[in-house]
Amino acid sequence: MHNPLDHAARVLAETDPVRRFHAAEAAAEAAAAPYKQAADDALAELIAQHGGNRAAAARELGKTRQALYMREKRDAEKSSSVAAAEQVQPARRFDSPEEAEDALRDWALSHQEVTDRLDVLLLGALAAGVDPVAISEAGVVGLDMLRRIRPAGNIVVSQLDEYGPEIDDFARAVHARATALRAAAISTAKRAAADIWRHAAREIARNAAPVALMPDHGLRKEDFGTIDEFIEAVVTRKPSKEEEAEDAKPLAPSASAGPDAYLAATYLAFRREATRGPLGSERTPEEVAVGEAVQAAFGELADAILHLRTTGQVPPALLTEAS
């Protein structure tokens, strides 16, 4: 059985006010349900004691007969609407509560990705000078959400040019860092950290600097006069079957808005992973070490992306390792 106090602590610890509001409302309704049922049972017993005379029962409760009638009417309407909803609303089938909980967690993660991309878009619109009232009137979000996401002070705007060489070099530098970490890994924790860097390098190359790692496929950027000529060669080159299968996969949604939109949303996701708080107590020392190494890797990547966006330059430490 779940401890109500533990559940309340999780609700109050939720940092997003929208999710905290809905979670608290749902928790309050669930907590009130037993008392509501007890009150209904007591009322039914009192009416029975008065031989079904609701007016007499109402007087004993210190209420009017009309108040009692309205209460019963509201309950009946609510029960009727719930019953109707149950008849027409389809439900997904789960083989176990654990499978359903996994699906809810998956939805929460995808919802967070959408929220990250929306936050980046809204802050960019505010930084570009769009009136918050105009954003609200456009039906995107309300003013209360704009006040929630806007930090104190200035909004950080990227110094990067779209598809500039810095992004290309950044992807290559992250890839070099991942390779170096993997080669030097002597423990499960270090290998896990190297895997985070390798995954980040692949996603950044695909979504922010699509040509950064193309030398692996036989084309070298150095053989072309300009980056535009190189991109043209990459686009017109006939891909292999493996590449066609890879290209069929959808890009990250924020990538379609440009590399910086992708990097900004990715920074939020990496920073969140790096600051999730203490790990669970029911873990082995090795699992704790792996978790800490993964969190540290996400933190280092977030710092690197922040440096790239705010300065327009690849972090010197990464450039040194990539050279």
Side-chain angles (χ1 to χ4, degrees), residues 56-287:
R59 283 194 297 272
E60 188 167 348
L61 289 172
K63 297 180 179 294
T64 65
R65 186 182 185 282
Q66 182 66 13
L68 203 62
Y69 167 77
M70 293 302 296
R71 182 182 190 277
E72 292 179 324
K73 182 181 178 181
R74 284 194 302 271
D75 288 347
E77 290 175 347
K78 184 175 181 180
S79 297
S80 176
S81 64
V82 170
E86 289 174 348
Q87 291 172 10
V88 300
Q89 293 295 332
R92 176 175 167 180
R93 179 182 180 277
F94 293 104
D95 292 332
S96 67
E98 291 75 20
E99 183 182 346
E101 290 176 358
D102 287 342
L104 290 171
R105 280 190 286 270
D106 289 342
W107 182 91
L109 288 173
S110 62
H111 178 71
Q112 184 62 60
E113 292 173 0
V114 172
T115 300
D116 287 347
R117 296 196 301 274
L118 178 58
D119 285 358
V120 167
L121 172 62
L122 293 172
L123 287 174
L126 292 171
V130 179
D131 187 347
V133 175
I135 297 175
S136 178
E137 290 177 346
V140 181
V141 293
L143 288 172
D144 55 340
M145 182 172 179
L146 291 174
R147 285 191 290 267
R148 174 182 70 82
I149 69 167
R150 183 162 190 168
N154 296 326
I155 298 171
V156 175
V157 179
S158 177
Q159 300 299 311
L160 289 168
D161 292 327
E162 293 289 281
Y163 292 107
E166 295 82 7
I167 301 179
D168 205 42
D169 292 340
F170 181 73
R172 185 175 284 104
V174 172
H175 183 260
R177 169 72 169 157
T179 302
L181 287 174
R182 187 68 183 179
I186 57 174
S187 66
T188 302
K190 291 186 180 298
R191 285 191 292 272
D195 287 342
I196 296 299
W197 277 84
R198 184 174 59 181
H199 174 75
R202 182 172 62 249
E203 293 305 306
I204 291 170
R206 291 181 59 201
N207 297 325
V211 300
L213 303 182
M214 286 304 295
D216 295 339
H217 299 290
L219 291 175
R220 296 191 308 162
K221 189 165 55 177
E222 293 77 9
D223 294 337
F224 297 85
T226 67
I227 186 67
D228 291 333
E229 292 175 355
F230 179 58
I231 293 175
E232 178 66 20
V234 171
V235 171
T236 57
R237 170 180 172 271
K238 183 175 176 55
S240 65
K241 290 184 178 180
E242 292 77 11
E243 290 173 306
E244 287 179 343
E246 188 70 15
D247 289 341
K249 299 177 182 178
L251 293 176
S254 55
S256 60
D260 183 60
Y262 170 80
L263 289 172
T266 299
Y267 166 81
L268 292 177
F270 285 0
R271 178 57 62 200
R272 185 170 53 253
E273 291 297 327
T275 56
R276 281 194 177 277
L279 301 171
S281 58
E282 298 179 1
R283 295 193 180 194
T284 65
E286 183 179 35
E287 289 172 335

Side-chain angles (χ1 to χ4, degrees), residues 40-58:
D40 290 344
D41 293 344
L43 177 59
E45 183 179 344
L46 182 60
I47 292 174
Q49 289 178 358
H50 284 281
N53 188 328
R54 282 173 167 73

